[in-house]
Structures are given as structure tokens and as C-alpha cells.
Amino acid sequence: MAYTHKKQALKEFFYQRHKRILLNPSLISLSTVSGVLSTKPQLVRYVDQNLPQMSVITTKSFQVSPNNGNREPIICEMEEGSFGNSVGLRNPGMVSAYRDLERLRETHSFRAFLNVSVSASSIEDFITLIKKFNPVADIIELNFSCPHAESGYGSSIGCSKVISSEYMRRIREAVGEIDALIFPKLTPNVDDIGEIALSLVTSGADGLSLINTVGPEVHMCEDSHTPILQNNLGGKGGMSGNWIFSRAIECIKEVRESIGPRVPLLGMGGVSSSENLVEMIKSGSDVVGIGSAFAKVHQKDWPLFTEQLTNNAIHLIKGEERLIHISPVMIRERSMDYKKHTLIHKEEIGHDTVILTLDGELEYNGGEFVFLWLPSIGEKPFSIAKSNPLTFIIKVKGKVTLALSELSIGESLYVRGLYGAPVIIDPRENSLLIAGGTGIAVLPPVAKKLSEKGVKVQTLVGTSEKREASLNVIEKEVALYSDVQIIPDNGIVGRVLSSIQELVHNQETFSSYIVGPSIFMKKAVEQLLLKKMDPSHIYLSLELNTMCGIGMCGECACGDRLTCQWGTFVSYEYIVKEAPDLL
């Protein structure tokens, strides 16, 4: 079903805010920004349903073809609330993205306007993208500004008045007066942003978005003296968050002066407080985008944070002193520091699996995880298998895990975290823990917490390796709190699952925690459901793609929840309702 809107009404929405917002501050409207918060369809829906202050919801930038983006690390926090980023325009491509948004339009009635961001390196591809997304978009944002994209993309276009206005002129000629408004997004990395803004409006832009990130700059780790971000630009990445706010204000003032009062302007860049919000409005923004600030707030607090941010801004504009105190507990401290560790022991437990023991310790709970980083190679998230000494199970799957497995005793690596959240401890009388292979790494703290609550714990571990009866160091850790059965496949994949039904003798007294590949967990759940276990007492540890750990990139979305915020264990009941595609 095609979606259209009244274009003039949308223009009037922006203009009324510019004209009257200082007289009627209840008109304050916010927007998400491209690449943060609303990066997946389920998160777009979440924002529309839970953050009523957001009048505009912006998608990530979509391209004609899928783009895997850059390898991790893609984001770093260099100062409190100040970030470097180099995601590299990671996106599923035009066809998949359109299908998802079309389905969302058909199943969800939007309260907010939908701003679809698009990126291309040619006029022809921009035209293709605009025509494709026009039926589902209220606004189409042209990414003329990404500072860490490949040559020909992003700021390669927006840094030049001649190039950007030629793009805009030819795009408008090709697409005509379509339903969606077209907003080029501007880069701050120019000498005269007002001149570029005016040329774009003159060439057919309906409105403007600004600013994108400042830079790029190389963001160096103080300890390793190497670039943190992993890309083909020598580690260069954009700057977002607190340290670009003053530049954003300069740009917005300059653009508003150049384009006059009637052109819609979506302003953004480092807004993290009510004072910032008011200053950006007074500088000329009709709607204000909030991005990196959400990386400092747990997802469960996003609605309250947004409400308080807006309400305080209303009181400030009115000259009232009735400000709401935003609890410092809600705002997280710097959470992306890298801690250097040394490998002190290494044990091979299969042809492609090793146990790495590091110096130092880190207390943790099931459902929490950290990132292991090897400078110039990359980083990946891992569950901690043992807190003291700090121990991990590494299964070789790619470049980073291979490099970790090849480390020698005495070599260094870096750890950042914790991320996620403690697993829910189910109070039922019995609990069956089920792990496929290296999934056992997740279970020691779960077994311990359950045992401390008086729960009788049994653990099944399936392994593809032929092995002796003796337990490795991680299995011994689980065995302190649980009866452990190690069951080799012996040529039958998932053979361990055949033991489930005989162990669950009274489903009303059992909970279960399952760890392993998706197909393994799905088969385990099927066995438990045959015993009529309640889905709300079955918990799965989801190994979703997790790239930042702080809730910014949205890659780890399970339904409308981010596992880097809520923890890796999710009830099967929730998965069936909100994210059935994950299994």
C-alpha cells in the first residue's frame, strides 16, 4: 500500500515552529538523527510509540546496494560524551530497506514524520533511491556530509557548492515535485556553509539538515598509541557528541541567516542538555535532532530522559526556574575505556577453540559481556567465562578470533566493558542449563546465582569434540554449583538435546537457560515445549551482532530492545512475540 502525505502540511509544521516556538515553547519538537537510535524498523516503531517528543524519526543512510561498513571498532568515546565514529554507512541496501519500511507502514500507524536518509556517489543513484523511498517517506534526507565514507560519497559532495548544487538541481529535475520533502544534510567541514545552504535551496531543496559529524580525525588510544577506529582511512573518524556543539551552533546561525525564515531547518550536533536544546532553537532550528546523548542513557530511561529534556527546555524559554533535576544516575559515565591486560595462560580445547586467561579480574553477571580489542586488527564482544583470573573461551570464526587464538603468553590485549545487564534469576525450584560447545562460557555466573537462590541446577553440555571425561577449567566452574553432563555428539549433531525430556520431570517446577547457535537453541526449546514448559520460564542467550555496546548503533536489536542494554538473555515468550525471525 502506497503512503502519501500532505506536503504543504509538513512544510507548515516546520514553519509554525520557526515562527512561534519562542512564543509557544510547547511546540518544541525533536528528531532522531541518522545512524543513532532509530537504525532498524523495530526501533523506528519503538521511538514512534515511546518517545512522543520525537516529531521526526530518521533512519540510517541507505544505499542502492548493501554495504557491510567498517570493521569494529566503529565508535570510540574519547572524552565524556564526546565520540569518534566510523560506521562506514553500514546498511542492508535499498531493496531490503524499502521492504522493511513498506511493511512497517502497513502494520503501524505513524504519529511522527518518517525521514529516510539515503547515500550515493552519483546523481543517478540518488535519483533511484529517492524514487524508491518516496512512497514510504515524509522526508528524504540526502547524505551530502558523511566525513568517513568512501571517495565520492558524503562530504565529497557536500564540501563543494558547485558539486552539491549540481546534484540537487539535477535530482529535482529528475524527480519533480514528489510527495516527500527533500532535505540535503550538510557537512560542517567547509569555510562557508551558508553559501552552500543557499545554493541547495535555490537548486530545489525543500529544507536542510545540519550538521553531520566534524572531521574526520584520527582518534588515538592513549595506552597503545594506535588509532582505535578500524577503517581504510588510517583510523580517521567523524566527531560527534559534546565536542561539536559549538560548531553546530555556528553553522545553524550562518545557514538560517543565509536561507531566511521560511525554509525548514532540522538542526543537530552535540545536543545533550536542555540548555543546548534551547540554544539550538534560538539559533534557527525548527526541529532539533538528538543523537549521541542517547549513548549515555540506558534504553529503559530514554522516554524519561527525552521528556525531562523537553520539559526543562520549555521552562527555560518561559523564563521559569521550575527545572526538573535529571538524575545523574540516569547519565552513564564514560563507558568505552580500554584496559590493558596480559595473556598469562592458554589452553587448547579443540582444533579451533582455546581458553585464554588474562592477568587481573572483573566481576560480572550472566547476561553481561565485554569487548576484546587487538589494535590494528579489530574487536569483538565476548562473554566472560571466569572473573578471577579473567578468562575467556575463544572459538575461531574470523580475523579477530584467529588473532586472539594465536596470541603468545606475555602478549597484550585490551578489554572494554561491562555491557549488557544481569540475567533474570528465575525462582523456580529446578533449573536446566543447556549449552552447545563454547556456550558453556556464559553459564558459570548463571549457575552460581541460581544455586545461591536455592535452585537445584542441572547442566547439559553438548560438544562436537571427542574428549576425555575430565572437565576443563570452565566446566569445573559450572560444576561448583550444578550437576554437569558432557555429551559428545559422536557423529549426531545436537545429540545432547535428546537428554532434555528425561531431565524435566515436572515442567511447573523448572526454568531453563539455553546458550549456543540459533538452530541449537531452537531445537532445545522444541524439546522443552514438548514437556509443556511455560515459554516465560525459558531464557535464551542471544549472540546478536553487537558493534558498539552503548546503544548507539542499534545492531543488537531484539525486537525493540537492545541486548547491549537489557542483557543477552531474553525470554522465549518475548522472542515469540517481538522477534520471531531471530529463531
Side-chain angles (χ1 to χ4, degrees):
M1 179 186 299
Y3 169 78
T4 60
H5 68 274
K6 295 179 180 179
K7 186 172 184 178
Q8 190 57 41
L10 181 52
K11 285 188 175 181
E12 190 64 21
F13 163 83
F14 279 98
Y15 182 60
Q16 285 300 317
R17 273 147 185 78
H18 176 75
K19 185 178 179 182
R20 298 172 52 203
I21 198 167
L22 296 179
L23 298 175
N24 182 8
S26 62
L27 290 172
I28 289 177
S29 292
L30 305 181
S31 170
T32 63
V33 304
S34 182
V36 181
L37 193 68
S38 48
T39 55
K40 290 182 178 292
Q42 59 268 42
L43 296 175
V44 170
R45 186 181 63 237
Y46 167 87
V47 173
D48 196 53
Q49 292 175 332
N50 295 281
L51 306 183
Q53 297 78 17
M54 295 289 181
S55 297
V56 178
I57 303 175
T58 307
T59 69
K60 65 165 55 185
S61 284
F62 300 123
Q63 296 169 292
V64 172
S65 300
N67 182 349
N68 290 328
N70 293 324
R71 295 178 60 86
E72 307 94 317
I74 58 169
I75 296 171
C76 55
E77 187 176 11
M78 302 307 296
E79 302 172 5
E80 183 74 31
S82 294
F83 299 90
N85 57 78
S86 180
V87 179
L89 296 174
R90 178 184 177 87
N91 73 96
M94 177 181 71
V95 173
S96 177
Y98 179 81
R99 183 173 61 245
D100 288 343
L101 293 178
E102 182 181 45
R103 187 181 304 119
L104 188 58
R105 280 291 189 193
E106 291 172 347
T107 58
H108 175 72
S109 179
F110 271 82
R111 168 195 56 81
F113 296 113
L114 182 62
N115 178 19
V116 178
S117 177
V118 297
S119 176
S121 59
S122 70
I123 294 170
E124 291 74 21
D125 278 359
F126 268 117
I127 292 169
T128 298
L129 288 160
I130 292 168
K131 288 181 176 180
K132 182 67 174 180
F133 286 108
N134 179 53
V136 296
D138 297 299
I139 303 167
I140 297 178
E141 184 176 272
L142 310 183
N143 188 336
F144 285 2
S145 48
C146 178
H148 50 78
E150 294 180 3
S151 177
Y153 290 86
S155 59
S156 299
I157 302 166
C159 280
S160 166
K161 170 188 170 182
V162 174
I163 295 174
S164 59
S165 59
E166 176 69 5
Y167 265 61
M168 188 64 248
R169 182 185 64 80
R170 289 178 56 187
I171 287 169
R172 179 57 74 189
E173 287 176 354
V175 303
E177 291 300 319
I178 58 173
D179 291 321
L181 300 183
I182 298 178
F183 280 39
K185 187 172 185 179
L186 308 186
T187 174
N189 306 309
V190 293
D191 294 329
D192 193 339
I193 193 170
E195 180 184 49
I196 292 173
L198 182 59
S199 71
L200 287 167
V201 171
T202 303
S203 300
D206 294 303
L208 300 169
S209 296
L210 67 151
I211 62 174
N212 207 321
T213 51
V214 175
E217 302 286 343
V218 175
H219 304 292
M220 301 290 289
C221 173
E222 292 181 0
D223 187 90
S224 69
H225 306 292
T226 58
I228 297 175
L229 301 177
Q230 190 79 16
N231 57 35
N232 295 324
L233 302 174
K236 287 184 178 181
M239 301 164 68
S240 65
N242 294 343
W243 55 4
I244 72 166
F245 176 72
S246 60
R247 178 58 179 154
I249 293 298
E250 290 173 357
C251 291
I252 290 165
K253 286 180 177 179
E254 188 176 340
V255 167
R256 179 53 78 192
E257 184 177 347
S258 295
I259 64 176
R262 292 207 66 95
V263 179
L265 198 160
L266 203 169
M268 64 201 72
V271 174
S272 62
S273 69
S274 300
E275 290 80 4
N276 293 162
L277 175 54
V278 172
E279 188 173 354
M280 191 158 281
I281 291 168
K282 290 182 176 179
S283 298
S285 297
D286 304 315
V287 174
V288 176
I290 313 289
S292 298
F294 283 102
K296 304 298 295 177
V297 181
H298 192 287
Q299 188 183 5
K300 65 181 174 59
D301 294 321
W302 287 352
L304 180 60
F305 173 71
T306 309
E307 178 185 354
Q308 292 183 352
L309 196 71
T310 307
N311 286 344
N312 280 348
I314 291 172
H315 292 313
L316 286 170
I317 291 175
K318 288 181 176 180
E320 299 173 350
E321 297 182 357
R322 297 186 295 110
L323 299 186
I324 301 165
H325 179 63
I326 298 180
S327 171
V329 176
M330 191 187 301
I331 309 299
R332 295 183 298 206
E333 297 180 354
R334 185 179 176 190
S335 58
M336 301 189 79
D337 285 343
Y338 288 97
K339 306 295 183 184
K340 185 177 181 180
H341 290 267
T342 301
L343 181 64
I344 60 174
H345 184 71
K346 178 177 174 181
E347 177 186 354
E348 295 186 3
I349 58 171
H351 72 281
D352 62 354
T353 306
V354 297
I355 297 177
L356 300 184
T357 303
L358 314 183
D359 64 332
E361 59 183 276
L362 181 59
E363 292 300 322
Y364 73 106
N365 294 283
E368 295 177 321
F369 62 94
V370 299
F371 283 80
L372 299 184
W373 175 51
L374 291 173
S376 77
I377 295 176
E379 72 175 3
K380 289 292 181 182
F382 293 90
S383 297
I384 301 171
K386 189 176 179 182
S387 63
N388 186 16
L390 190 54
T391 305
F392 300 90
I393 298 181
I394 308 296
K395 186 176 181 65
V396 176
K397 296 180 179 179
K399 181 178 179 180
V400 174
T401 50
L402 176 61
L404 286 168
S405 73
E406 292 177 342
L407 286 174
S408 299
I409 304 300
E411 288 194 281
S412 298
L413 68 162
Y414 291 81
V415 177
R416 70 171 173 94
L418 294 165
Y419 305 105
V423 62
I424 295 172
I425 299 302
D426 198 301
R428 285 190 161 189
E429 181 181 338
N430 299 284
S431 191
L432 178 61
L433 312 187
I434 308 168
T438 57
I440 185 70
V442 179
L443 295 182
V446 180
K448 180 181 179 182
K449 290 290 185 182
L450 287 166
S451 179
E452 289 174 347
K453 292 291 184 180
V455 177
K456 182 180 178 182
V457 185
Q458 300 176 81
T459 301
L460 288 174
V461 181
T463 174
S464 60
E465 301 284 345
K466 293 182 178 180
R467 49 182 297 178
E468 299 175 358
S470 59
L471 304 181
N472 66 45
V473 63
I474 308 306
E475 293 161 352
K476 288 177 181 177
E477 193 78 6
V478 177
L480 293 174
Y481 314 102
S482 166
D483 292 331
V484 177
Q485 294 185 46
I486 309 295
I487 302 178
D489 285 350
N490 289 346
I492 303 174
V493 177
R495 177 169 170 260
V496 64
L497 302 178
S498 63
S499 301
I500 291 176
Q501 291 200 40
E502 63 187 61
L503 292 177
V504 180
H505 47 79
N506 182 351
Q507 75 276 9
E508 293 184 359
T509 69
F510 268 83
S511 65
S512 184
Y513 296 80
I514 311 172
V515 188
S518 293
I519 186 64
F520 176 88
M521 293 194 292
K522 181 179 180 180
K523 295 293 185 182
V525 168
E526 289 173 354
Q527 294 297 314
L528 293 171
L529 294 178
L530 287 174
K531 295 294 289 189
K532 302 190 183 303
M533 271 192 65
D534 186 335
S536 66
H537 294 277
I538 301 173
Y539 306 92
L540 282 64
S541 180
L542 299 178
E543 295 183 5
L544 301 179
N545 186 36
T546 304
M547 302 187 77
C548 73
I550 57 173
M552 187 180 286
C553 72
E555 285 295 315
C556 65
C558 172
D560 61 6
R561 291 185 176 184
L562 301 174
T563 56
C564 73
Q565 306 282 287
W566 294 89
T568 59
F569 277 97
V570 181
S571 77
Y572 182 66
E573 180 182 53
Y574 178 85
I575 293 173
V576 169
K577 181 181 178 182
E578 301 292 342
D581 55 305
L582 292 181
L583 291 178

